[in-house]
């Protein structure tokens, strides 16, 4: 038996291998894929129609590339070493996601993650074998660097106002370019303008920049060519400036951590060179960041060529100076350092002193930037972000809360997990307070939630083995042998470390980079030979067969999903522009044929059917809506929008008790959604009042219990929120609202607890209603008249002030109050003042929609009398006629004639109401 060849000899043998044109074609296809992928919003797995197609398309493309690899390596593949075993073991990653489909909280999200994981494995296997060939390894490294540098330049083009030019560069292959502009490459939030580049998310862009900052320094120090030295050193300032412009605290916190971890693997001379280059470029970046921030803000408001030229002069000038100095350092200082420190490299622990010193240096820099006046050299927004770095900052406290809540999910889904997207589907059930975060902000915890302990062990074992074998070999051998491997180690380590704090891996492009990094490490790791029994033809052919069948399955599934996604997106777009039922329905049905559980398509189609039913009263449309919703909810039981739509379906069916049951049965899934509890309490109150009127005590108690339990849940939640640390934001609003108080008060009144009813009103209403709420005659007709009048007056005031939120609130108060008094009086002998204000409220609430205006028309008509000398009756008639005109209904000539006969000026008053739009501004 011949001695296995691996390690250094294996590397040398590969160097002299001739690379076939087919392998080159595969490598070129691989690189083209890497060029395309980042400009699809980094392949963000956003779990919505707008984001899904690029994910399916990338799965299709990676499957095609893998099939090409199978064709090229079918006869070459051998199970000789641990590296080959890695290719086989990688199949376990998508397999664990496939297993998690068994108990997935969302089949739609879980399938998306299965596509993503399959893509990662395809990329890993292809890269693992391409990167074993030195020539291809160098080509792919250079391609990755070129793509990274282009992304940096792309982001700065957008920052400095040249968005049209930037959009033109990628618009021909990116679906994110609209109107010639890449969407949200620069975004504004409460911190000011932030650079997000291709990702539309500043923190992930910061993780990307951190990784390629260190890759650029590494490439600079190892470069033997003058043009390589100048290129890589020139890019340091743009990368650091971009990192600062993201305003990412996580990026700034993790930067020194990763830097020190990387220093541990370098020779002393390399460590010193890294520090010098980073210090030099960092200083230059700090000097130009302030003017670039000011000019960028100005250019994103109004572009001027003079400001743009000035900004580019700052950036390019600083970059050129750093490049020149770095060339000098590499040309003269680097050889001198190597000669002086070369002998110390063989001594044990020599490489530890500089990293330990760097820890102290980093601490000093942090103190100077945060605790002294040195921070004033930074732009105000960056200075503020630095000042807020502490463990009591709200984003830190929120992340700790996410992590605690994540472990609650793991406890309930321990073995196989809750499926891909499990956190997004389930977090509202487990959250400690009403935050909004569809991501855990920790990749490893999110992975554990999705695939459970079994899948997590598989994943950690997979990446742990690669890191262990790579590091172990690195420490044992001559480090020069691992230059290429260290390039990939930097990428994988940087992104994974930053992913401890954020959801970078939800961007599949970042995951692709990590798996290429793992493959690059695997390609040069110590390839210990396997036992000969592993290399049997049956095992080799079995692996290739499983890989081929699985890839073909994913390939055809991707094609099917792409068609479904196109149809769903077409249907979504038609909803806003088309009035044709068949035109809108056709693509939605096509989308659901392939994926009957698609949440958005099911929501659009069921909503369309329900709208048509309202117009035609044809039961077939309600039947179809029910079928669509029931099928979708089978796989999407936690989808809040689908559940609310199901309740609306029961409302149209005249089954409000079943609608309440939907809210009541699923309330535990949305513990902190105040609108869910508002609706549930409102429905319970309406049904309890009806049961009371029908003398059905059993039903009355059932609805009272449902409503009052929901109200108690809210009151208890409000008390719990008081225990949060003062620095932590609670998230979404969660309190006893005015509408909730009005309904809860009525429930307590029906339960015979008048004192509690009065207390509830005081909890929910603000000072604008204080005299009404403190009235001695709560709940009688006069009190309701006063409340409805006040609600209308405040809604009208908010409308005048263009305050949609307040207008909507007061309109809802008025509508609920009218329903309650209408129920009390059994729709008989309602005072004209109540009818008038209730009708006006309903007109304002209708948002100019004809179907909604019918309610207002009915209310106003019911209050008309024959006495047109009465000003109140004339005003009711005026609004009634206006509502008819707004809805497009035929004019009531009898009422119109009587009104004009009483006062000819009423014609102009009616027209004035008709011409007034009460639509919300947003």
């Amino acid at each position: 038996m011949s001695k296995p060849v691996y390690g250094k000899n294996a590397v040398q043998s590969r160097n002299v291998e001739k690379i076939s044109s087919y392998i080159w074609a595969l490598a070129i296809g691989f690189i083209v894929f890497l060029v395309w992928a980042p400009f699809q919003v980094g392949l963000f797995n956003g779990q919505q129609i707008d984001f899904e197609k690029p994910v399916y398309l990338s799965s299709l493309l990676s499957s095609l590339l893998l099939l090409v690899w199978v064709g090229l390596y079918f006869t070459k593949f051998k199970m000789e070493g641990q590296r080959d075993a890695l290719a086989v073991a990688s199949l376990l990653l998508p397999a664990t996601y496939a297993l998690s489909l068994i108990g997935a909280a969302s089949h739609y999200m879980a399938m998306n993650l299965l596509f993503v994981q399959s893509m990662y494995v395809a990329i890993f296997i292809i890269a693992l074998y391409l990167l074993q060939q030195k020539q291809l390894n160098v080509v792919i490294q250079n391609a990755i660097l070129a793509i990274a540098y282009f992304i940096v330049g792309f982001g700065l083009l957008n920052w400095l106002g040249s968005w049209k030019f930037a959009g033109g560069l990628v618009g021909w292959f990116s679906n994110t370019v609209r109107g010639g502009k890449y969407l949200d490459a620069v975004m504004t939030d409460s911190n000011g303008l932030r650079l997000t580049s291709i990702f539309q998310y500043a923190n992930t862009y910061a993780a990307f920049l951190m990784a390629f900052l260190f890759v650029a320094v590494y490439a600079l120090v190892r470069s033997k060519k003058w043009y390589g030295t100048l290129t890589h050193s020139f890019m340091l300032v743009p990368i650091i400036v971009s990192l600062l412009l993201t305003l990412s605290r996580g990026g700034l916190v993790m930067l020194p951590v990763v830097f020190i971890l990387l220093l541990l693997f370098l020779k002393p001379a390399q460590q010193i060179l890294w520090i010098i280059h980073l210090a030099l470029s960092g200083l230059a970046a700090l000097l130009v960041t302030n003017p670039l921030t000011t000019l960028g803000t100005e250019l994103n408001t109004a572009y001027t060529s003079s400001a743009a030229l000035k900004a580019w002069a700052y950036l390019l000038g600083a970059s050129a100076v750093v490049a020149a100095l770095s060339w000098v350092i590499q040309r003269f200082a680097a050889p001198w350092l190597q000669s002086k420190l070369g002998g110390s490299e063989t001594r044990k622990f020599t490489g530890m002193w500089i990293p330990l010193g760097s820890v102290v240096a980093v601490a000093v820099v942090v103190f100077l930037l945060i605790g002294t006046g040195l921070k004033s050299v930074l732009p105000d927004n960056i200075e503020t972000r630095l000042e807020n770095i502490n463990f009591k900052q709200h984003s830190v406290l929120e992340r700790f809360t996410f992590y605690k809540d994540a472990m609650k999910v793991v406890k309930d889904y321990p073995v196989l997990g809750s499926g891909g997207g499990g956190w997004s589907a389930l977090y509202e059930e487990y959250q400690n307070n009403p935050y909004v975060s569809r991501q855990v902000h920790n990749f490893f915890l999110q992975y554990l939630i999705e695939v459970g302990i079994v899948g997590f062990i598989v994943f950690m074992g997979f990446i742990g083995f690669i890191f262990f074998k790579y590091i172990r070999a690195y420490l044992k051998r001559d480090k020069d042998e691992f230059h290429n491997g260290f390039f990939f180690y930097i990428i994988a380590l940087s992104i994974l470390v930053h992913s401890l704090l954020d959801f970078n891996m939800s961007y599949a492009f970042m995951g692709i980079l990590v798996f290429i990094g793992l493959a690059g490490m695997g390609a040069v790791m110590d390839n210990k030979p396997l036992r000969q029994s592993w290399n049997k033809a049956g095992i080799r052919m079995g692996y290739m067969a499983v890989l081929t069948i699985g890839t073909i399955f994913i390939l055809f599934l991707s094609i099917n999903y792409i068609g479904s996604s196109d149809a769903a997106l077409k249907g979504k777009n038609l909803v806003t522009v088309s009035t044709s039922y068949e035109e809108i329905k056709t693509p939605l049905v096509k989308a659901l044929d392939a994926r009957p559980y698609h949440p958005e398509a099911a929501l659009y189609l069921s909503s369309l059917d329900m709208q048509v039913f309202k117009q035609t009263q044809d039961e077939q449309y309600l039947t179809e809506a029910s079928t669509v919703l029931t099928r979708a909810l089978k796989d999407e039981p936690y989808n809040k929008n689908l559940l609310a739509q199901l309740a609306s379906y029961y409302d149209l069916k005249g089954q409000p008790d079943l609608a309440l049951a939907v809210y009541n049965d699923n309330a535990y899934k949305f513990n902190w959604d105040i609108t869910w509890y508002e609706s549930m309490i409102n429905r319970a109150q309406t049904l309890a009042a009806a049961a009371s009127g029908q003398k059905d005590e059993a039903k009355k108690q059932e609805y009272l219990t449902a409503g009052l339990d929901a109200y108690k849940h809210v009151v208890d939640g409000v008390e719990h929120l008081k225990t949060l640390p003062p620095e932590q934001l609670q998230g979404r609003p969660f309190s006893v609202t005015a509408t909730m108080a009005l309904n809860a008060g009525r429930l307590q009144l029906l339960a015979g607890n008048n004192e509690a009813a009065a207390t509830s009103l005081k909890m929910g209403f603000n000072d604008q209603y204080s005299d009404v709420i403190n009235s001695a005659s709560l709940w009688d007709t006069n009190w309701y008249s006063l409340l409805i009048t006040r609600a209308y007056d405040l809604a009208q005031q908010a409308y005048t002030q263009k305050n949609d939120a307040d207008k909507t609130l007061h309109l809802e108060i008025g509508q609920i109050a009218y329903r309650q008094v209408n129920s009390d009086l059994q729709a008989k002998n309602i005072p004209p003042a109540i009818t008038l204000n209730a009708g006006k409220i309903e007109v304002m609430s209708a948002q100019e929609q004809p179907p909604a205006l019918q309610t207002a028309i009915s209310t106003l008509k019911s209050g008309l009398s024959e006495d047109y000398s009465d000003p109140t009756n004339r005003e009711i008639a005026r609004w009634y006629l206006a509502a008819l005109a707004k809805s497009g209904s035929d004019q009531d000539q009898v009422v119109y004639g009587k009104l004009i006969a009483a006062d000819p000026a009423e014609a102009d008053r009616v027209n004035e109401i008709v011409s007034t739009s009460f639509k919300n501004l947003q």
Side-chain angles (χ1 to χ4, degrees):
M1 179 177 174
S2 61
K3 184 178 179 181
V5 178
Y6 59 93
K8 194 167 187 175
N9 291 331
V11 173
Q12 291 171 346
S13 66
R14 285 195 299 272
N15 290 346
V16 297
E17 286 179 357
K18 183 179 179 181
I19 302 172
S20 73
S21 57
Y22 298 110
I23 298 290
W24 273 110
L26 176 61
I28 291 169
F30 184 77
I31 291 168
V32 170
F33 175 76
L34 294 181
V35 172
W36 170 84
F39 294 95
Q40 320 304 317
V41 197
L43 294 179
F44 179 54
N45 184 25
Q47 311 289 11
Q48 295 174 349
I49 288 178
D50 295 330
F51 296 107
E52 64 183 20
K53 183 180 176 181
V55 172
Y56 304 146
L57 192 54
S58 63
S59 176
L60 170 65
L61 295 174
S62 61
S63 297
L64 288 171
L65 289 171
L66 187 56
L67 286 177
V68 173
W69 179 88
V70 169
L72 293 173
Y73 284 83
F74 192 82
T75 57
K76 297 179 183 178
F77 180 78
K78 291 179 172 45
M79 286 287 290
E80 292 181 333
Q82 291 179 336
R83 187 180 299 130
D84 303 306
L86 278 179
V88 176
S90 66
L91 297 185
L92 293 174
L93 300 180
T96 57
Y97 268 88
L99 279 175
S100 72
L101 283 166
I102 295 171
S106 168
H107 191 81
Y108 168 69
M109 297 184 193
M111 283 301 300
N112 285 356
L113 263 295
L114 179 60
F115 280 112
V116 170
Q117 291 296 319
S118 300
M119 174 178 61
Y120 288 162
V121 168
I123 295 298
F124 175 79
I125 293 172
I126 295 167
L128 181 65
Y129 286 89
L130 290 182
L131 294 174
Q132 291 178 46
Q133 301 175 77
K134 185 175 180 181
Q135 192 175 359
L136 288 179
N137 195 309
V138 173
V139 168
I140 290 173
Q141 284 188 57
N142 288 333
I144 291 172
L145 266 175
I147 293 166
Y149 290 165
F150 181 79
I151 290 170
V152 172
F154 179 82
L156 288 169
L157 281 170
N158 281 279
W159 181 267
L160 297 179
S162 299
W163 55 264
K164 190 171 184 179
F165 175 66
L169 291 174
V170 301
W172 57 280
F173 67 87
S174 172
N175 68 346
T176 317
V177 176
R178 311 282 168 77
K181 183 176 185 178
Y182 191 96
L183 298 179
D184 297 326
V186 178
M187 296 182 71
T188 302
D189 62 13
S190 58
N191 303 295
L193 212 61
R194 301 182 72 177
L195 180 59
T196 63
S197 191
I198 60 169
F199 296 102
Q200 300 179 346
Y201 181 58
N203 291 346
T204 291
Y205 187 39
F208 175 85
L209 291 167
M210 178 179 72
F212 282 97
L213 172 64
F214 295 131
V215 168
V217 176
Y218 172 71
L220 160 63
V221 171
R222 75 172 181 181
S223 178
K224 304 300 181 185
K225 305 291 185 180
W226 65 269
Y227 51 83
T229 301
L230 290 176
T231 300
H232 302 308
S233 57
F234 184 87
M235 288 304 300
L236 293 179
V237 171
I239 292 173
I240 296 174
V241 167
S242 297
L243 181 59
L244 292 171
L245 293 177
T246 65
L247 305 184
S248 172
R249 285 183 298 238
L252 295 176
V253 167
M254 284 301 184
L255 185 74
V257 174
V258 175
F259 174 59
I260 291 166
L261 289 175
L262 292 174
L263 281 185
L264 293 171
F265 291 85
L266 300 174
K267 300 174 184 178
Q270 292 173 318
Q271 292 172 346
I272 293 172
L273 288 170
W274 272 50
I275 292 169
I276 291 172
H277 288 303
L278 284 172
L280 186 65
S281 54
L283 179 60
L286 286 174
L287 292 175
V288 299
T289 296
N290 210 330
L292 286 174
T293 299
T294 303
L295 289 166
T297 304
E298 177 185 328
L299 288 164
N300 274 273
T301 304
Y303 182 85
T304 60
S305 56
S306 59
L309 287 171
K310 186 177 180 182
W312 284 111
Y314 275 118
L315 181 63
L316 298 179
S319 300
V321 170
V322 168
L325 292 174
S326 294
W327 180 84
V328 171
I329 291 167
Q330 286 300 114
R331 177 69 177 82
F332 300 105
W336 180 81
L337 276 173
Q338 185 61 41
S339 65
K340 291 293 182 183
L341 298 177
S344 65
E345 291 170 4
T346 57
R347 298 177 203 154
K348 203 171 184 180
F349 303 120
T350 303
M352 294 289 292
W353 293 110
I354 294 175
L356 289 173
S358 298
V359 173
V360 177
V362 166
V364 171
V365 171
V366 169
F367 171 75
L368 291 174
L369 286 176
I370 297 179
T372 71
L374 185 63
K375 62 188 174 186
S376 60
V377 303
L378 298 171
D380 292 341
N381 53 355
I382 297 177
E383 181 181 342
T384 301
R385 297 289 281 175
L386 284 173
E387 287 175 343
N388 289 335
I389 295 177
N390 61 74
F391 284 106
K392 288 190 174 182
Q393 206 276 330
H394 73 85
S395 65
V396 176
L397 294 171
E398 286 163 6
R399 277 171 168 77
F400 287 151
T401 301
F402 299 161
Y403 304 158
K404 291 176 184 176
D405 293 345
M407 293 312 297
K408 299 176 192 174
V409 183
V410 173
K411 184 179 178 182
D412 283 353
Y413 296 84
V415 182
L416 297 180
S418 57
W423 170 261
S424 182
L426 295 169
Y427 82 93
E428 288 193 74
E429 177 181 344
Y430 293 91
Q431 62 185 163
N432 176 70
N433 51 281
Y435 54 78
V436 178
S437 179
R438 292 167 64 86
Q439 308 284 346
V440 184
H441 288 262
N442 182 302
F443 164 67
F444 298 95
L445 269 179
Q446 193 151 320
Y447 201 98
L448 176 60
I449 288 170
E450 292 176 346
V451 294
I453 294 171
V454 172
F456 189 70
I457 290 173
V458 169
F459 174 72
M460 292 305 295
F462 180 76
I463 67 169
F465 179 79
I466 294 174
F467 272 94
F468 172 75
K469 293 290 289 184
Y470 175 80
I471 293 171
R472 185 182 180 188
Y474 189 97
L475 294 176
K476 281 185 175 181
R477 302 181 189 174
D478 183 348
K479 294 181 178 66
D480 289 341
E481 188 178 322
F482 286 85
H483 276 166
N484 290 344
F486 200 66
F487 175 98
F488 296 106
Y489 175 78
I490 294 170
I491 294 174
L493 181 72
S494 299
I495 296 174
L496 287 173
V497 168
H498 191 278
S499 295
L500 288 167
L501 294 181
D502 232 308
F503 54 92
N504 308 312
M505 297 289 280
S506 291
Y507 290 84
F509 176 65
M510 295 292 276
I512 287 169
L513 290 176
V514 167
F515 276 85
I516 291 175
L518 294 172
M521 294 159 61
V524 296
M525 75 180 194
D526 181 12
N527 191 28
K528 185 177 178 180
L530 299 173
R531 287 180 297 181
Q532 191 65 33
S533 58
W534 281 92
N535 198 31
K536 291 180 179 178
I539 294 177
R540 296 198 311 270
M541 293 301 103
Y543 167 69
M544 281 298 188
V546 169
L547 185 62
T548 303
I549 293 169
T551 303
I552 291 173
F553 174 75
I554 291 293
L555 177 69
F556 282 101
L557 200 60
S558 299
I559 294 171
N560 195 26
Y561 275 43
I562 289 169
S564 173
S565 181
D566 282 335
L569 187 59
K570 181 179 179 181
K572 176 186 176 181
N573 293 333
L574 284 171
V575 165
T576 58
V577 297
S578 176
T579 57
S580 169
Y581 171 76
E582 289 298 332
E583 184 182 18
I584 300 171
K585 178 182 177 179
T586 300
L588 293 175
V589 169
K590 180 181 177 182
L592 291 170
D593 282 344
R595 297 180 289 170
Y597 51 81
H598 192 285
E600 288 178 84
L603 198 62
Y604 286 125
L605 183 54
S606 60
S607 178
L608 179 68
D609 283 327
M610 288 160 67
Q611 287 176 28
V612 176
F613 169 77
K614 290 177 186 178
Q615 297 168 7
T616 65
Q617 296 300 303
D618 188 336
E619 286 285 338
Q620 70 168 333
Y621 296 106
L622 269 190
T623 301
E624 180 175 71
S626 174
T627 302
V628 169
L629 288 170
T630 303
R631 176 61 188 88
L633 282 166
K634 181 180 177 182
D635 287 322
E636 302 297 320
Y638 287 85
N639 190 289
K640 189 191 305 180
N641 293 328
L642 289 174
L643 288 167
Q645 188 84 323
L646 181 62
S648 298
Y649 159 78
Y650 284 127
D651 287 335
L652 289 178
K653 284 282 288 183
Q655 298 173 317
D657 54 330
L658 294 181
L660 173 62
V662 171
Y663 275 87
N664 198 30
D665 294 345
N666 294 282
Y668 72 94
K669 299 174 182 175
F670 316 111
N671 281 314
W672 293 98
D673 187 334
I674 199 65
T675 58
W676 190 269
Y677 282 90
E678 276 184 321
S679 183
M680 184 160 61
I681 294 168
N682 180 38
R683 290 171 180 277
Q685 186 280 135
T686 302
L687 289 169
S692 179
Q694 296 163 3
K695 309 300 182 185
D696 188 340
E697 284 299 317
K699 285 293 183 183
K700 174 185 171 183
Q701 286 302 319
E702 177 187 339
Y703 300 137
L704 282 176
T705 300
L708 291 175
D709 284 352
Y711 180 64
K712 183 179 184 300
H713 174 88
V714 174
V715 172
D716 291 345
V718 171
E719 289 303 309
H720 170 75
L721 292 177
K722 294 177 183 178
T723 66
L724 293 178
E727 298 86 1
Q728 183 172 349
L729 303 178
Q730 75 169 41
R732 291 168 295 168
F734 192 87
S735 63
V736 177
T737 63
T739 54
M740 184 185 293
L742 195 55
N743 283 310
R746 283 285 295 192
L747 286 167
Q748 290 161 333
L749 193 68
L750 284 170
N753 196 340
N754 294 13
E755 185 177 340
T759 301
S760 294
L761 289 176
K762 291 175 182 177
M763 286 182 66
F765 282 84
N766 60 27
D767 292 341
Q768 293 174 307
Y769 291 89
S770 59
D771 58 321
V772 180
I773 300 309
N774 290 307
S775 169
S777 57
L778 295 177
W779 312 109
D780 67 14
T781 303
N782 290 332
W783 180 80
Y784 274 113
S785 181
L786 180 61
L787 177 59
I788 294 168
T789 301
R790 181 64 54 81
Y792 170 72
D793 290 341
L794 291 172
Q796 185 64 43
Q797 178 182 316
Y799 165 74
T800 303
Q801 296 170 349
K802 299 181 179 180
N803 186 334
D804 287 341
D806 280 359
K807 183 187 79 170
T808 301
L809 170 64
H810 297 305
L811 291 175
E812 287 177 354
I813 292 171
Q815 288 174 299
I816 291 172
Y818 176 66
R819 285 198 295 270
Q820 290 181 2
V821 72
N822 193 50
S823 174
D824 286 348
L825 299 176
Q826 297 182 348
K828 297 176 182 178
N829 302 317
I830 297 176
I834 290 180
T835 302
L836 171 62
N837 285 312
K840 291 195 286 188
I841 284 171
E842 287 169 348
V843 170
M844 292 181 70
S845 300
Q847 295 287 301
E848 308 298 318
Q849 297 299 312
L853 282 164
Q854 295 303 318
T855 303
I857 292 168
S858 177
T859 297
L860 291 162
K861 187 175 183 179
S862 70
L864 284 172
S865 72
E866 292 298 319
D867 185 6
Y868 284 88
S869 63
D870 178 10
T872 300
N873 191 52
R874 287 203 305 275
E875 191 170 1
I876 292 174
R878 183 190 314 153
W879 280 82
Y880 165 65
L881 294 170
L884 284 170
K886 280 176 173 286
S887 69
S889 303
D890 293 336
Q891 188 62 274
D892 190 327
Q893 294 297 334
V894 175
V895 174
Y896 184 79
K898 292 177 180 179
L899 179 64
I900 300 306
D903 183 356
E906 287 289 354
D908 292 334
R909 297 187 186 113
V910 171
N911 289 333
E912 183 181 351
I913 298 171
V914 173
S915 63
T916 301
S917 173
F918 295 108
K919 275 189 176 180
N920 288 343
L921 300 175
Q922 301 265 334

